[in-house]
Amino acid sequence: MMFLRSLQPIASCSRSASRILPPVAARGPRLTRFVTTRTTPYHINGQTYPLDDHSNVPPTILAKLDRNLHLNPSHPISILRSIIESHFSTFTPVTPSSPILTVTQNFDDLGFTPDHPGRALSDSYYLNKNHVLRTHTSAHEIETYQKGLNQWLLTADVYRRDEIDSSHYPVFHQMEGASVWPSSELYKLPQMNAELASKLAECPLIIEDTSSISPENPYQKSHDPEHAAQITQHLKHSLNSLIFRLFGPIATKDGEPLRIRWIDAYFPFTSPSFEVEVWWDGDWLELLGSGVMQQPLLNRAGVPDKSGWAFGLGLERLCMVLFSIPDIRLFWTEDPRFISQFTPGQITPFKPYSKYPPVTRDVSFWIPDASKKGVTQWHENDYCEIVRDVAGDLVETVQLIDEFTHPKTGRRSKTYRLTYRSMDRNLLNDEISGLQSEVERRTISEMGIEIR
Ligand code: FA5
Ligand code: MG
């Protein structure tokens, strides 16, 4: 889940940003929760999931359930998957069957508190209050340890309601990797670490490790600190060697060495916890989360004698850097000019077949007053969801460019810039005006906004 979410920068922009579409008469706030407009139960793979006040999976997301990009050997996601699997050659590859999990599997079993933001309807897709579309591959940790596997790599599609830009998409792929040892084998770690350290060849990569063990990011009380330190070392060496392997060939980009950094993080199921980021396109891009498995989780999985580490990495993010894929939506295009460029087993740079011009629209509105009874709290992800539902992959970014509170009435206004661009063709102005009016119609009736 996004545990430490960075704030979107708000570009300086005049409050009277031109409003391209005429104001639409407000019809007053909708008094119910923002959920799907669907009326019939979900039927997926022969199972029926009755609707309730949690159901919020739109048709655009349901349509992604069968795409299985990670199983198509010519797709960059699958190519990267198999390269990582061949790097960790002693690890068992695992593919879970369905993205539909119980709330217990996805959250409770991993120690998410009842009020954890990752559980919010604004952040996750629920079929109903008991069933969620997997939000991360960590949801399969317990069952995989239960199978008795000690070293494994599990790849799957995951689903999150999120912002809209070139590196976020509501469906993406994660690879979960783990390595655990019975206590009788932990004595081998210093030797394995020494071997890994000596193999980490000189490479024009800058790795900055800013992480540290502290009361905020501690070794676990039930662990011998010496063992915890060796497991942490093995985690870092293993991931650094993967990064060297993947980035070695492109380690100098535009004459600059590639920069990777380790930072402290927090996950309910690991301690200590870390994230790894890469410097890309002028900013730090987060690649993965990782840490030493919480012992209570391994105990619950029936392997109390084992301890070790796990990581979860975003395959799209890595692919974008390695294959020079500029926009996360491209992974989903069915244009043969995309898929025909790739060869199983090889990392080759993507050659954009064309860059079509963007069409932008700015829209300013008053957000509904959540202090009024029955009015749902404004959430940007709900807004993004409607935009995606209407415009699909034609929407490139939804950017907050201005906000203010009216000094007298206390009403809050927001101005968003919606950028539309097709990956495959030129857009027509009329087409975008039609989509934009539909976005406005739905945000008025479903979220209770009032266009300024
Ligand atoms: C997790 O999902 C943890 N389960 C990772 C983990 C596993 C930690 C095992 C400890 C042990 P996070 O929410 O940070 O963490 O997501 C992991 C990665 O998924 C991110 O680093 C990023 O590369 C990718 N990611 C997250 N959100 C998106 C998105 N909307 N689109 C594309 N990639 C994303
Ligand atoms: Mg993260």
Side-chain angles (χ1 to χ4, degrees), residues 1-3 112 135-139 141 158 160-163 167-177 267 269-270 273-276 285-293 309-318 328:
M1 314 305 311
M2 307 284 283
F3 296 109
F112 282 70
T135 65
H136 57 164
T137 42
S138 302
E141 291 254 352
V158 301
R160 292 185 196 178
R161 301 181 82 215
D162 221 326
E163 58 213 73
S167 65
H168 289 85
Y169 199 80
V171 192
F172 58 101
H173 294 79
Q174 284 188 337
M175 179 185 269
E176 193 88 0
F267 299 100
F269 40 90
T270 50
S273 305
F274 313 100
E275 282 181 343
V276 178
L285 177 67
E286 189 193 310
L287 293 179
L288 64 89
S290 65
V292 176
M293 281 324 297
W309 52 254
F311 68 83
L313 65 80
L315 287 170
E316 276 80 353
R317 298 274 178 90
L318 262 179
I328 197 162

Side-chain angles (χ1 to χ4, degrees), residues 12 21 44 53-54 64 70 94 142 184 251 269-270 358 385:
S12 59
L21 290 164
I44 305 167
D53 65 355
H54 274 57
K64 299 282 196 288
H70 57 301
V94 182
I142 292 201
S184 61
F269 40 90
T270 50
E385 182 87 332

